Amino acid sequence: MGQKINPLGFRLGTTQSHHSLWFAQPKNYSESLQEDEKIRDCIKNYVQKNMRISSGVKGIERIKIQKGIDLIQVIIYMGFPKLLIEDKPRRIEELQMNVQKKLNCMNGKLNIAITRIANPYGHPNILAEFIAEQLKNRVSFRKAMKKAIELTEQAGTKGVQVQIAGRIDGKEIARVEWIREGRVPLQTIRAKIDYCSYTVRTIYGVLGIKIWIFVNEE
């Protein structure tokens, strides 16, 4: 069998950088890791709750965390920051309060910044959310995949592969369906590939969505 590896971890140090930057002693490592997880969950839940548009796409591409001695710097990369920045200072302050409560702020200050990313549909997380929303609304999965691939092509990527697995369209037997457009060279380490796996809960069970996007070659 082909040995599958997460394309992001495979490319660490070449085209991919870490999403969390900090140093911890071995005995505190697990705590810091859980802290990161809490921060990310808290931000995602907050955005989900306070969305004005009911499109269901949170539009968070990634959340970068950098920890200093007495400062935690969180950068949220968003495709549609309008969802959060409507009345910007108040919203971000509220979000900071929420996260600090969740952490019982162990070490010092927390600073949250929001960065806008160009052409959001060129990023797998946002695309996966789009497909998930379509599947929840009982759109046929082929239609959802085709639409997603169209959106990605408009964003100017070189190739995209979308895979959906589970009880597709509520069928009794689970199966895997996938579709590829352009080229997706998973074995080439130079190739910058963005990847995400996303779980979507539909009425007839849980589906898994995986998306690989070939951005460019270094």
Side-chain angles (χ1 to χ4, degrees), residues 11-109:
R11 288 172 175 76
L12 268 181
T14 48
T15 59
Q16 186 64 32
S17 59
H18 293 274
H19 289 175
S20 293
L21 290 173
W22 41 263
F23 178 81
Q25 295 296 343
K27 61 174 187 288
N28 305 331
Y29 183 85
S30 56
E31 267 174 35
S32 288
L33 201 58
Q34 284 166 344
E35 203 177 65
D36 281 10
E37 204 53 34
K38 274 184 196 161
I39 293 173
R40 291 199 169 96
D41 287 345
C42 190
I43 291 172
K44 281 175 187 162
N45 293 342
Y46 179 84
V47 174
Q48 184 110 40
K49 268 190 211 138
N50 294 305
M51 268 184 347
R52 293 172 308 104
I53 307 170
S54 55
S55 69
V57 178
K58 290 200 283 283
I60 296 179
E61 198 260 318
R62 66 181 186 276
I63 299 172
K64 221 169 184 179
I65 299 175
Q66 298 170 349
K67 293 183 186 172
I69 297 169
D70 52 359
L71 176 71
I72 301 178
Q73 170 77 23
V74 181
I75 305 171
I76 308 172
Y77 291 88
M78 289 189 85
F80 317 104
K82 279 200 188 73
L83 304 177
L84 252 187
I85 302 185
E86 204 51 14
D87 32 14
K88 186 175 173 181
R90 196 178 64 81
R91 273 285 162 88
I92 292 185
E93 274 168 28
E94 198 181 320
L95 178 55
Q96 270 176 336
M97 295 289 287
N98 277 9
V99 176
Q100 274 173 332
K101 257 186 220 153
K102 190 95 179 178
L103 293 180
N104 310 327
C105 223
M106 298 115 173
N107 44 359
K109 267 174 61 188

Side-chain angles (χ1 to χ4, degrees), residues 152-166:
T152 321
E153 281 177 340
Q154 285 163 16
T157 55
K158 289 192 174 178
V160 54
Q161 178 176 329
V162 180
Q163 175 181 306
I164 300 179

Side-chain angles (χ1 to χ4, degrees), residues 72-218:
I72 301 178
Q73 170 77 23
V74 181
I75 305 171
I76 308 172
Y77 291 88
M78 289 189 85
F80 317 104
K82 279 200 188 73
L83 304 177
L84 252 187
I85 302 185
E86 204 51 14
D87 32 14
K88 186 175 173 181
R90 196 178 64 81
R91 273 285 162 88
I92 292 185
E93 274 168 28
E94 198 181 320
L95 178 55
Q96 270 176 336
M97 295 289 287
N98 277 9
V99 176
Q100 274 173 332
K101 257 186 220 153
K102 190 95 179 178
L103 293 180
N104 310 327
C105 223
M106 298 115 173
N107 44 359
K109 267 174 61 188
L110 180 81
N111 189 5
I112 295 180
I114 292 177
T115 307
R116 185 180 177 157
I117 46 175
N119 42 25
Y121 287 114
H123 297 278
N125 294 45
I126 296 171
L127 207 60
E129 282 174 2
F130 169 78
I131 295 176
E133 200 47 42
Q134 301 280 317
L135 292 175
K136 276 182 189 161
N137 297 337
R138 296 200 164 180
V139 176
S140 96
F141 76 96
R142 278 221 170 79
K143 215 180 219 166
M145 278 165 143
K146 291 239 170 73
K147 182 81 183 111
I149 280 181
E150 259 170 52
L151 286 169
T152 321
E153 281 177 340
Q154 285 163 16
T157 55
K158 289 192 174 178
V160 54
Q161 178 176 329
V162 180
Q163 175 181 306
I164 300 179
R167 288 184 55 176
I168 301 170
D169 291 342
K171 296 266 166 46
E172 292 277 302
I173 295 177
R175 64 185 200 276
V176 179
E177 291 283 346
W178 61 274
I179 181 170
R180 186 195 295 139
E181 198 63 55
R183 51 187 277 262
V184 185
L186 293 179
Q187 290 295 305
T188 315
I189 298 182
R190 275 202 323 269
K192 182 160 173 46
I193 286 185
D194 229 343
Y195 163 81
C196 106
S197 66
Y198 190 88
T199 316
V200 47
R201 290 189 166 74
T202 57
I203 311 160
Y204 33 77
V206 176
L207 298 181
I209 303 172
K210 283 185 179 178
I211 298 181
W212 294 260
I213 293 179
F214 176 32
V215 188
N216 61 359
E217 203 143 349
E218 296 284 306

